[in-house]
């Protein structure tokens, strides 16, 4: 069993490094170098999702959804930032690849899972029933936030993938949790 786990972790690490190098070598443009830090900033502390929640709270028919988004952010942050990051304690890519030049200030927390991505996909999942355009916009923005974290070299791709799963898991819990 232990050998199988080591083999799997080695394969994930190899995949992470290969994807990071591909993005670093093939995807960088001046435009994205300017846009991705802004996208990532909007994901800081769930700013964009909190803003959307406050906008939804003004309308009686979407107040329930606004509360669910806030609860989802709290749950995602508690599980991801408060628990998993401190158990796994994975260092960020820029610690291992000194040649990577950061376009954002280096985050001080651990890498796994991506909190930005988890919050984005949790919020997307909760907001998706509102209407098609809202769902489409939220999905595109969540994907862009996730990509920005790898593009900016502050997360491994597997951090982002697990952040997606964590966010969707928390979104399901909150969306289908009976409100008091």
């Amino acid at each position: 069993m232990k050998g199988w786990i080591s083999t799997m972790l080695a394969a994930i690490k190899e995949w992470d490094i290969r994807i990071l190098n591909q993005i670093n070598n093939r995807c960088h443009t001046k435009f994205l170098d300017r846009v991705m830090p802004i996208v990532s900033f909007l994901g800081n502390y769930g700013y964009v999702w909190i803003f959307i929640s406050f906008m939804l709270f003004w309308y009686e028919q979407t107040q329930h959804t606004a509360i669910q988004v806030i609860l989802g952010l709290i749950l995602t942050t508690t599980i991801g930032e408060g628990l998993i990051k401190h158990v796994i304690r994975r260092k960020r890519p820029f610690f291992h690849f000194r040649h990577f030049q950061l376009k954002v200030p280096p985050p001080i927390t651990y890498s796994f899972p991506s909190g930005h991505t988890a919050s984005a996909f949790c919020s997307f999942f909760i907001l998706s029933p509102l209407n098609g355009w809202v769902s489409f916009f939220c999905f595109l923005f969540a994907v862009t936030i996730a990509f920005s974290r790898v593009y900016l070299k502050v997360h491994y791709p597997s951090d982002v993938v697990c952040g997606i799963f964590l966010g969707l898991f928390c979104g399901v819990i909150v969306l289908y949790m009976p409100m008091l």
Side-chain angles (χ1 to χ4, degrees):
M1 182 71 158
K2 196 173 188 180
W4 179 81
I5 292 172
S6 296
T7 303
M8 183 179 68
L9 291 175
I12 292 170
K13 185 175 182 178
E14 181 183 320
W15 178 76
D16 277 337
I17 292 168
R18 187 172 50 241
I19 299 293
L20 272 173
N21 284 328
Q22 289 292 328
I23 290 172
N24 193 47
N25 295 332
R26 295 185 179 188
C27 294
H28 277 269
T29 66
K30 289 180 181 181
F31 174 75
L32 290 177
D33 285 351
R34 290 190 182 120
V35 171
M36 289 299 155
I38 296 166
V39 169
S40 185
F41 173 79
L42 292 172
N44 287 353
Y45 309 107
Y47 286 146
V48 71
W49 310 112
I50 292 169
F51 175 76
I52 290 170
S53 295
F54 282 133
M55 298 299 289
L56 292 173
F57 202 76
W58 286 100
Y59 302 99
E60 189 175 337
Q61 66 269 27
T62 55
Q63 285 179 351
H64 181 81
T65 302
I67 292 168
Q68 286 179 313
V69 170
I70 298 300
L71 290 174
L73 292 172
I74 292 168
L75 181 62
T76 302
T77 302
T78 301
I79 294 172
E81 301 286 329
L83 180 66
I84 298 173
K85 282 193 184 216
H86 295 284
V87 170
I88 304 296
R89 302 177 78 184
R90 185 180 199 187
K91 289 188 177 187
R92 293 180 181 268
F94 59 82
F95 281 110
H96 299 288
F97 303 98
R98 301 281 185 198
H99 66 281
F100 284 169
Q101 293 183 0
L102 293 181
K103 308 253 184 261
V104 293
I108 58 172
T109 60
Y110 294 111
S111 187
F112 183 89
S114 169
H116 282 69
T117 303
S119 295
F121 275 85
C122 178
S123 299
F124 150 69
F125 189 81
I126 293 168
L127 293 168
S128 63
L130 289 181
N131 74 38
W133 285 108
V134 170
S135 179
F136 180 72
F137 166 77
C138 290
F139 177 74
L140 282 181
F141 199 68
V143 168
T144 306
I145 286 176
F147 179 74
S148 78
R149 304 305 287 167
V150 177
Y151 182 91
L152 295 169
K153 302 169 195 84
V154 293
H155 279 291
Y156 291 99
S158 60
D159 299 340
V160 168
V161 169
C162 290
I164 290 169
F165 286 121
L166 174 62
L168 294 174
F169 173 75
C170 291
V172 167
I173 289 173
V174 170
L175 193 60
Y176 297 106
M177 175 178 65
M179 294 298 281
L180 301 176

